[in-house]
Structures are given as C-alpha cells and as structure tokens.
Amino acid sequence: MVGAGPAGSSTAHWCAAAGLDVLLLEKGEFPRDKICGDGLTPRAVAELVRMGVPTREEDGWIRNRGLRVHGGGRSYELDWPTLTTYPGYGMARARMSLDHTLAQHAQAAGAKLLERTKVTGPLRDDDGRVAGVTAQPLDARGRAEGAVKELRAPVVVAADGVSSRFALGIGRERRDDRPMGTAVRAYYRTPRHDDPFMESHLELWDGEPGRSDLLPGYGWIFPLGDGTVNVGLGSVASTPARQSKAGIDYRRLMETWLEKSAPEGWDLVHEPERGPIRGAALPMGFNRGPLYADGVLLAGDSAGMVSPFNGEGIAYGLQAGRVAAEAISQARHQRTDAAREATLATYGDRMRADLGGYYTLGRWFVRLIEHPEIMRVCVRYGLPRKVVMQFTLKLLSDCYEPHGGDWVDRVIAGLTRVVPSA
C-alpha cells in the first residue's frame, strides 16, 4: 500500500484481516498532519464501525447530531437522518490523530508499517505488469537516507493522495472533465468546542457581502471537542481549468470571511501553534483511472474519490479500502492469471456501481452552482423551506437508504440509477 491515509490504512486493515501479507508505506512519520475539514459523516462512521475502530470519547472522538446550516439570513439545525444503513450521528477527529489511529489499527490486524519511506517508482515484470515498487528511506527532515530498495508484491494499491505521483508514474493522468475543489482551513480555540452540531455557512462572497458574486462552496466550523474547532472554506469548479481561471486567493478569502461575516457566538481565537491557514486541492468524481489495471489499484484521493457535492473524501477512501481488499483476497485464490485479473477488475466495477451515478449527479450540481445567479436563487428560495433543506442534507451528505426508505431516499436512489455512471 503506497500511502497510509484513510484509503491506504483501510486497505491494509482489510487485507491483513483476510490473512494476506501487507506492507503499508508512508512517506511521513506519525503523527503527521493532512489538510482536511476533519468532519466524518455517518457514511464515514459506518466504515469505522465495520473496521472495528474504537471511537471512545476518552480517546479524542466527538459525536455530532447533525448540521447547522446558515444562509440567506436564516438558520436550520438538521439532525442526521435515521437510517438502517448508517448510524444516526457523525463524528470529528483531527487528521493528525485520525490517520495515526487508522494506521495503528491496520498494524493490529497484522499489517507491517514502514514510515519515512518514499516510494520512488514502480517495478515491472517482463509483461509490463507492475510487480512492486522501489522505495527509499528518509531521515527525520524528509531527505533521502540509504539505498533504494525493491519491494515486490502481486498487487500494489496507490493511495498516495491528490497528486499521486505513483499513479502519474505509471501513466494514469488526471481527467480534465471532472470537478476540482480547493479548500483551506485552520484551527481556532472556542468555548463551543463540543457543540453538538457541525456548522455550515452557504454564502461565500468573492468581495463585499451582498455586493459581489456568490461562490459555489461553503464555509464550515467543525467542533473537535478538545478546546478547538476546525474552521475552513472550500469552493468548487466543474473543471480544473475553470478552477485555475477563477484565480481566487483562498487564504485571503477565508480571512475576509471571518473578518466581515464572522460566525456569531463562537468567540474564535486562532491557534498559531497548530499552524497557519493551509490549503489543499480536492480531486472529485473519479478524476483518475482506470481504478484497476496492470497490477495497480487506485484508492481514495489518488483516484479522485471526493464527493462533488460536499468535498467529503474520507468515507470513500475507507470504503475503497474495504472493496479493494475483498477483490485482492478473492483474486489470490483464483487458479489462472486471467481469472485473477478479472477478479481484481471487479474493484472498479463495484466502486462505479455504488458511486458512479452519485458522482455524475454531483458533476451536474457543480455546473449549476458555479453560476452566481443560480447560487442566489438557491440561497433565496431553497433555504427558507425546511423540507428542501432536509432533502439537500441527504443528497449532499450521501446519507440516504439505497433501497427503500422514505420518498427522499427513493428519489435520490432512483436518480443515481438512471443517470450515466461517472
């Protein structure tokens, strides 16, 4: 496994639990930070439950009831829906500790973790199939230390994040017809660090509030229960080219947002020891593929498994690890090379079957909201209607019953099945 984020650690856990020999390679050293909102939807929590990850409050986990939404001069507190598929609560955990916890959980299942190890490229067999990686140890400052090693494996999982140099190294380029988001965040002290709701602010202005264009995105405050909250904002465009053309200074946008539209009642104080405002790209809607070919599976951000609706990526990274491990463990017991390859290819089929229609809806959603006039209509006429907001919560958070449920669940599930798959 190349990369020990949620996707890599999930794959390592499930493969090790199936009795496979697993090597998890991490360029950094735990605990290490990753740019993220730190919020976990019920979909993500369900994956943690499947993995058996302990989520006790005394270990730093905090549950939340739902989402508090602000926009158009109105506010709603929307509880997470009651479903049979997912738990009725979300959680939050800083990536500094979340990723470390998941890597340790994979180790407990039997995976071997190598930190401060940089993967430098693929190893190929005589047929051109990837048969492992080359890797080099790093010192505490991230500099090369020691000889390059050859590490051979029947399957390689690339879970090395947004840029995924490993995927690029084997010719899997990013698609330019998929949405791309950008998000920035920082940590703040607040007396409301244990607020029961995550908070979302749907009005992001590219200038003076009310006198400029609304941006397609939102600001957030996610309580972490440790005296701090994760505060950030993100915006999205239908293609990387449109995102680049926008030329937005997101750090300055966040500073302006907090200065002129500061969320009331939070008494936010920046935590300089936790770092400045930092940003990251959000690759969305399966923006790199194929998900499996020639001995390599792509999982998590390396495959662009971020929701175009809300920028959520952790849930899909965890899910990808579970599905990938099942394909890998089943392929191990096939009797021919052709059968093994066909079994490994089911990973991509299953991920597209589950997420492809939803990601397509997300792409269409982004194309709509990137027009300021449509954003104004959504804020003005959608927010005042709670039933619309409840529908929106299920759609944007990907928390609905895929089979059965109420009319909202059936509508969303039906739409994901009739649209083309991403």
Side-chain angles (χ1 to χ4, degrees):
M1 316 302 162
V2 182
S9 290
S10 173
T11 312
H13 162 80
W14 289 112
C15 283
L20 303 181
D21 292 330
V22 179
L23 184 58
L24 182 59
L25 306 175
E26 168 60 36
K27 182 179 178 182
E29 182 177 18
F30 290 114
R32 55 101 175 103
D33 195 16
K34 287 290 182 180
I35 311 303
C36 185
D38 299 338
L40 299 166
T41 62
R43 188 181 183 108
V45 175
E47 293 294 340
L48 295 176
V49 170
R50 287 189 181 98
M51 292 173 68
V53 176
T55 56
R56 299 179 293 264
E57 183 178 352
E58 57 267 29
D59 293 333
W61 298 87
I62 179 173
R63 295 188 181 189
N64 51 67
R65 283 178 47 189
L67 193 63
R68 183 183 298 114
V69 181
H70 299 276
R74 299 173 183 267
S75 300
Y76 286 112
E77 289 186 347
L78 303 172
D79 287 337
W80 294 117
T82 300
L83 306 171
T84 61
T85 311
Y86 307 119
Y89 62 91
M91 303 193 82
R93 187 80 185 269
R95 290 290 297 273
M96 180 74 77
S97 56
L98 172 66
D99 287 15
H100 194 190
T101 297
L102 294 177
Q104 290 175 321
H105 194 67
Q107 285 181 286
K112 182 179 180 181
L113 171 66
L114 288 182
E115 301 173 66
R116 288 178 14 200
T117 302
K118 178 182 179 180
V119 173
T120 57
L123 285 174
R124 295 184 183 271
D125 62 20
D126 293 339
D127 296 324
R129 186 181 187 275
V130 174
V133 303
T134 55
Q136 187 169 30
L138 304 177
D139 65 17
R141 296 184 179 182
R143 299 175 300 191
E145 180 182 60
V148 174
K149 301 177 182 178
E150 292 188 353
L151 303 171
R152 297 189 176 272
V155 180
V156 175
V157 177
D160 50 338
V162 176
S163 60
S164 191
R165 295 187 178 184
F166 190 84
L168 288 173
I170 58 173
R172 298 194 201 176
E173 301 286 341
R174 185 182 68 190
R175 295 183 59 162
D176 290 331
D177 61 345
R178 293 293 187 264
M180 178 64 73
T182 302
V184 293
R185 66 96 171 102
Y187 293 98
Y188 291 77
R189 292 196 308 275
T190 175
R192 291 175 58 186
H193 64 96
D194 56 355
D195 192 282
F197 285 89
M198 297 198 295
E199 191 160 290
S200 179
H201 295 256
L202 301 185
E203 290 182 272
L204 290 179
W205 303 90
D206 63 0
E208 190 70 24
R211 299 182 180 179
S212 56
D213 287 333
L214 273 173
L215 296 174
Y218 65 97
W220 69 75
I221 303 176
F222 294 165
L224 295 173
D226 62 354
T228 69
V229 289
N230 181 311
V231 180
L233 59 82
S235 183
V236 65
S238 57
T239 66
R242 288 185 68 96
Q243 183 76 298
S244 178
K245 186 178 180 181
I248 299 171
D249 183 341
Y250 286 93
R251 290 174 179 80
R252 179 57 188 159
L253 179 64
M254 181 166 159
E255 292 170 351
T256 302
W257 175 56
L258 292 175
E259 175 186 344
K260 297 187 176 181
S261 307
E264 296 181 0
W266 286 92
D267 299 324
L268 299 173
V269 178
H270 184 233
E271 286 268 89
E273 64 272 18
R274 298 281 295 273
I277 297 174
R278 300 178 63 195
L282 302 174
M284 298 175 168
F286 290 145
N287 83 330
R288 185 181 277 115
L291 297 182
Y292 173 75
D294 300 324
V296 178
L297 294 92
L298 305 184
D301 285 359
S302 69
M305 292 181 182
V306 174
S307 167
F309 282 110
N310 65 0
E312 157 75 7
I314 295 175
Y316 307 110
L318 295 173
Q319 176 185 349
R322 172 171 53 84
V323 176
E326 184 170 337
I328 293 168
S329 59
Q330 292 296 333
R332 180 190 184 194
H333 296 282
Q334 296 292 350
R335 300 176 65 180
T336 66
D337 289 344
R340 282 188 285 273
E341 290 299 298
T343 302
L344 290 169
T346 63
Y347 162 69
D349 296 338
R350 286 184 58 188
M351 293 302 295
R352 283 191 296 272
D354 191 43
L355 299 175
Y358 181 73
Y359 282 171
T360 294
L361 290 177
R363 295 205 317 272
W364 296 352
F365 172 77
V366 171
R367 289 173 189 168
L368 288 174
I369 67 169
E370 67 184 353
H371 298 286
E373 61 275 14
I374 294 179
M375 276 295 293
R376 289 178 184 271
V377 170
C378 291
V379 170
R380 182 175 180 181
Y381 296 105
L383 286 173
R385 293 164 175 79
K386 192 165 185 177
V387 65
V388 173
M389 294 307 300
Q390 291 171 330
F391 178 94
T392 302
L393 176 67
K394 283 192 173 185
L395 177 64
L396 267 61
S397 65
D398 198 6
C399 290
Y400 61 92
E401 297 283 13
H403 305 285
D406 62 17
W407 71 270
V408 174
D409 301 315
R410 293 193 294 273
V411 168
I412 297 174
L415 288 173
T416 65
R417 286 193 285 267
V418 300
V419 301
S421 179

